[in-house]
Amino acid sequence: MVDKIYIVRHGFRLSWITNNWKSETGLPRDTPLAAYGVTQAEETARYFASLPENERPTLIFSSPYYRCLQTVQPIAKALGLPIYVEHGLAEWYSPARPGSGLHPRPGSAESLKAHFPEIDPEGWKTIWYPSRKGESLSDVHDRCGGFLNALLPEIDRRWNNEHQRILLVSHAAPIIALIHELEGDRTKEFRVGCCTLSELERKPGEDTSQGAVGKFKATKLADGAHMEKGADREWGFQDVEVRDGMTIDEGIPGTENDVDFPVGCQLDKASQSSNL
């Protein structure tokens, strides 16, 4: 049973420095890291490598976006672990304005392995997909809560309770939602900087075979002490501009007729019901 969850945000994005950048995957909005972000990722890898073996994560799950995979790559190398791609950890986009198209969705683990050899596309198949139509603030929390409730029992089922410590690599908004859901408190305000580290431990006596929401407590929250320059580019939900209770974003031109599929939990329903 998972006792500890490490959560890391991606490093500093190149698009924050210049508009002249190339998407290595060809996906719109899939910015790589800046050189400074690569340095942050390497510092984070050294931190994990410095931990005693019995404190290191033994499973790594990452958002499929290039900047997250760039961030987790040196960590995976340092720990000698494969990267499992999980769309449940993908970026948050506000609801797309009607008629503007859908939001982007990164490629499969198989396609991303061409960029990151550490990815193991056979060892893990994505169990949750966010809607390409975008998500309200409530929706992103529901996504993260549903994903966590599916993830932890699935880890125990697949690996027969072998893994106690896992690492999740994601983006600021999903990270905040993940922590809110793990602690069972959506009102907690905090900001998450680039490559900052959060650590959550399972509360004594809690059984995650029935899900994870509300069963963990943060012992470290968006901490940047492992990096020379500390935390920067911090972001929180309090920074979101909300109008009439909603935030609206633009979709990708040319995707107006795309089918928003798959969406939600991808686990076999019979298997899932027997494990949740």
Side-chain angles (χ1 to χ4, degrees), residues 110-251:
E110 289 84 356
S111 66
L112 293 168
K113 185 176 174 65
H115 301 277
F116 301 95
E118 295 77 16
I119 291 174
D120 178 2
E122 299 302 323
W124 184 263
K125 304 294 183 182
T126 283
I127 65 170
W128 200 285
Y129 286 95
S131 171
R132 293 183 61 195
K133 296 178 181 178
E135 302 166 303
S136 67
L137 295 178
S138 178
D139 290 338
V140 70
H141 281 86
D142 291 345
R143 182 239 296 191
C144 289
F147 165 66
L148 289 165
N149 278 342
L151 176 68
L152 268 63
E154 184 65 7
I155 288 173
D156 292 342
R157 185 189 72 81
R158 293 195 190 193
W159 284 284
N160 196 26
N161 293 294
E162 176 184 345
H163 296 283
Q164 288 78 51
R165 299 171 304 279
I166 65 173
L167 168 62
L168 309 179
V169 180
S170 188
H171 313 257
I175 285 174
I176 295 170
L178 287 166
I179 293 171
H180 280 172
E181 295 301 289
L182 287 166
E183 291 200 309
D185 180 7
R186 294 187 178 186
T187 67
K188 187 173 186 176
E189 290 193 358
F190 61 97
R191 289 181 169 87
V192 179
C194 293
C195 270
T196 54
L197 172 65
S198 298
E199 300 178 10
L200 296 100
E201 296 183 358
R202 183 164 56 89
K203 297 174 184 176
E206 291 287 6
D207 181 359
T208 57
S209 64
Q210 301 300 314
V213 170
K215 297 182 179 180
F216 285 76
K217 178 66 178 176
T219 57
K220 182 179 289 188
L221 193 61
D223 186 87
H226 59 282
M227 296 179 287
E228 181 180 355
K229 295 185 178 180
D232 67 0
R233 197 76 186 198
E234 294 174 299
W235 185 93
F237 282 125
Q238 58 268 47
D239 300 316
V240 174
E241 183 178 350
V242 178
R243 294 180 181 176
D244 299 324
M246 292 288 291
T247 60
I248 301 296
D249 206 344
E250 295 293 314

Side-chain angles (χ1 to χ4, degrees), residues 86-106:
E86 176 50 63
H87 283 250
L89 297 169
E91 180 67 287
W92 170 58
Y93 292 113
S94 300
R97 181 177 56 79
S100 70
L102 301 178
H103 293 301
R105 172 171 286 168

